Amino acid sequence: MNMNRKQFLSLSGMGIIGLGFLDPLSHMFFGRSPMAKKSLGDIMIEVKTKRLELVHTWTISRNSSDYKDNVFVKLEHQGITGYGEAAPNVRYGENAQLTTQRIQEVRDIFSQIPLYHYNNIKSELDKRITDQSCAKAALDIALMDWIGKSFELPLYKMWGLDPSDAPVTSFSIGIDTVEVIKQKVKEAEPYPVLKIKVGTDRDEEIIGAVRSVTDKPIRVDANEGWKSKEEALEKIQWLKSQGIEFIEQPMPSTMLEETAWLRERVDIPVIADEAVKNAADIPKLATAYDGINIKLMKSGGLLEALRMIHMAKALNMKIMLGCMIESSVAISAAAQLAPFVDWADLDGNLLIGNDPFRGIKVEQGHLVYPEKPGLGVMGEF
Ligand code: MG
C-alpha cells in the first residue's frame, strides 16, 4: 500500500505532530481529538499503559490491590527523549483510561509552545487539565526530563540542590495479617525508617506486630481512616507510647476543624496528605497541620511541586515528599526535589516486581542519584 507519512497520520487521527498512541488501551480512547493547530516539526508524544505487579497485595484503609495500571509518556524532540508517568488513583477519581484521554486532549500544547518555555506549558496544562492531575504529572515529568537532558544536567543540579541534603526514605508496610506484617518488616531490614499503614479497627495489633520485630523509628499513615477527633486522639496517644515520629492524615481531608482540635492536643507532627493536592490548598491547612505530603501525582508534576515547596517553607510548615505505587520514572522525578524536604517516602518502585525502568537507587534508605541528565532514568518504554 502506498501511503506517505502525512496520509497515514491523517487517516489514523494522529495529527501532524506525529503523536503515536500505540497501546491497545490507548487506542480505545483515541477518539477524534482536534488536530494540532501548528507543528514545531518533529515532536512525538507516545502514551502507553503498563501493568505494575505488586510484590505483596497492597492494602491501606481505603482499598486493596495486586497491581496498578500506570500510564507512561514518551516525549521526543530534536533527538532527545523525555519520559513521564501517571499513577492514576481512585481516591481522586482517576483511572488509566481517563488519564490517557486527558493526555491526548492537550497534546497540541506541545506543538504551540516551545518546550524551553516550560513554565508557559505548565500554565496551559493547568488551564486544560482540571481532573486527572496525574495526566498533567506525566506530561510535566516527561517535559522536565527532556529539558534536563537538553541542558545536559540532572534536574536537582538545575535547581541548585545538593543531593547529599536529601533525607533517607522510609519504606512502607501495608495493612496485612500479623504474620505477613512481621515478614514484611523483616524484608525491609535495609531501610532505617518504616512507614506503617493504619486507620483500621486493628491498629494496635498492626503496630504490635511491627514492634515485636523491630525498634526502628516508625511513621504512621491513617489515610483518613479515623472518623472522629476523639478516636484519632485516643489512637495517637497510644501510638505515641510506641515511639512514632509523626502521623499522616488521621481523619478525612474535609475535617479541618477537627484536625485543628486534634493538633492542639498531641505533640507529634500532624501531616496533611489527602487534604493537599497543590499550592493553593496549603494556606488554609496551616491552622490544622504541621506539614504537608507532596506527591507529583496530586500536584500535577514537578513544577507545581516546586511551588508547593516554596509555599510550605514560607508558611513554616514541614515538608514530606511521597509517592503512589510508581515505577522508577516517577520516583526518580520526585527524588530530584528530595534535597528540599524534611522527610522522604519514595518507595513506590520498591513495592513492585516488574519495574520497566531503572533510575534512582536506594541504599540503606539513602537515595543514590545516577550521574545522568534529566531524571536519570533508562528502560523499556
Ligand atoms: Mg499518605
Side-chain angles (χ1 to χ4, degrees):
M1 180 163 62
N2 286 326
M3 193 190 296
N4 66 30
R5 178 177 158 81
K6 198 169 171 183
Q7 285 169 327
F8 169 75
L9 291 173
S10 168
L11 277 174
S12 65
M14 284 180 178
I16 53 174
I17 57 170
L19 295 143
F21 296 95
L22 305 180
D23 180 75
L25 240 186
S26 305
H27 272 132
M28 287 163 56
F29 299 93
F30 196 81
R32 291 186 185 79
S33 304
M35 292 295 106
K37 287 178 189 157
K38 186 182 163 197
S39 170
L40 287 180
D42 64 340
I43 295 179
M44 293 277 293
I45 294 179
E46 208 174 306
V47 186
K48 245 183 211 182
T49 300
K50 288 177 187 278
R51 180 157 292 182
L52 305 178
E53 308 283 351
L54 287 148
V55 177
H56 289 285
T57 299
W58 179 243
T59 303
I60 65 170
S61 67
R62 257 193 307 278
N63 51 34
S64 192
S65 41
D66 290 310
Y67 61 85
K68 295 280 181 181
D69 288 333
N70 283 8
V71 179
F72 290 80
V73 166
K74 182 162 111 177
L75 170 70
E76 284 183 289
H77 184 48
Q78 296 175 340
I80 297 171
T81 303
Y83 294 107
E85 178 179 4
N89 191 309
V90 64
R91 168 63 176 74
Y92 304 101
E94 297 170 344
N95 61 60
Q97 295 160 358
L98 279 174
T99 293
T100 302
Q101 195 178 321
R102 291 293 173 273
I103 292 169
Q104 291 170 353
E105 285 165 356
V106 301
R107 62 188 196 220
D108 59 294
I109 293 171
F110 292 80
S111 69
Q112 290 166 355
I113 303 176
L115 301 190
Y116 291 110
H117 300 176
Y118 54 82
N119 285 304
N120 296 357
I121 293 178
K122 176 199 186 307
S123 299
E124 280 304 304
L125 289 173
D126 285 343
K127 273 185 224 156
R128 299 263 303 271
I129 301 183
T130 53
D131 65 352
Q132 315 295 311
S133 61
C134 66
K136 207 155 53 173
L139 290 166
D140 168 288
I141 293 168
L143 174 61
M144 295 315 294
D145 188 26
W146 190 93
I147 291 286
K149 284 173 176 162
S150 177
F151 290 164
E152 298 183 345
L153 282 175
L155 292 176
Y156 68 80
K157 277 194 183 168
M158 263 178 51
W159 291 324
L161 296 169
D162 177 353
S164 70
D165 289 336
V168 293
T169 180
S170 53
F171 183 85
S172 298
I173 308 286
I175 294 167
D176 226 308
T177 63
V178 164
E179 281 317 304
V180 176
I181 287 174
K182 286 184 184 173
Q183 183 57 33
K184 285 178 174 178
V185 172
K186 284 176 190 159
E187 288 171 21
E189 197 277 324
Y191 303 95
V193 183
L194 301 177
K195 181 168 130 175
I196 314 297
K197 295 289 192 179
V198 294
T200 70
D201 52 10
R202 303 174 37 231
D203 293 344
E204 286 83 354
E205 185 183 270
I206 290 167
I207 298 296
V210 174
R211 277 287 171 249
S212 73
V213 284
T214 185
D215 57 2
K216 284 177 187 174
I218 58 177
R219 299 161 183 175
V220 167
D221 187 357
N223 287 107
E224 311 181 284
W226 300 326
K227 301 304 180 194
S228 77
K229 58 184 197 271
E230 292 80 10
E231 181 189 8
L233 179 61
E234 194 185 302
K235 295 270 190 165
I236 293 173
Q237 281 169 340
W238 180 79
L239 282 167
K240 212 188 152 238
S241 72
Q242 302 298 305
I244 68 164
E245 284 191 327
F246 62 72
I247 173 74
E248 201 179 316
Q249 201 64 54
M251 286 181 281
S253 61
T254 49
M255 294 174 69
L256 192 63
E257 278 179 34
E258 291 86 344
T259 306
W261 178 93
L262 178 71
R263 184 198 181 191
E264 284 184 8
R265 287 161 179 78
V266 298
D267 56 2
I268 58 166
V270 180
I271 308 300
D273 181 1
E274 283 84 345
V276 61
K277 285 189 80 177
N278 51 41
D281 293 331
I282 301 174
K284 67 174 182 289
L285 300 177
T287 57
Y289 295 91
D290 298 283
I292 57 164
N293 185 351
I294 297 175
K295 294 177 181 171
L296 300 185
M297 298 303 143
K298 294 187 297 175
S299 70
L302 288 156
L303 295 173
E304 181 65 19
L306 274 170
R307 288 179 82 213
M308 295 176 77
I309 286 168
H310 295 306
M311 171 83 79
K313 283 183 186 284
L315 292 166
N316 207 21
M317 294 176 85
K318 293 279 189 189
I319 304 170
M320 174 179 179
L321 189 60
C323 61
M324 307 295 182
I325 303 297
E326 298 164 0
S327 82
S328 284
V329 171
I331 295 295
S332 299
Q336 304 297 319
L337 298 170
F340 266 127
V341 309
D342 301 289
W343 301 299
D345 181 34
L346 298 178
D347 62 348
N349 59 336
L350 307 172
L351 303 175
I352 57 178
N354 61 336
D355 190 344
F357 288 86
R358 298 178 306 285
I360 200 88
K361 287 195 168 58
V362 179
E363 285 175 8
Q364 305 293 317
H366 293 274
L367 300 173
V368 181
Y369 291 76
E371 275 295 324
K372 294 198 179 76
L375 311 177
V377 297
M378 297 172 67
E380 283 293 312
F381 181 78

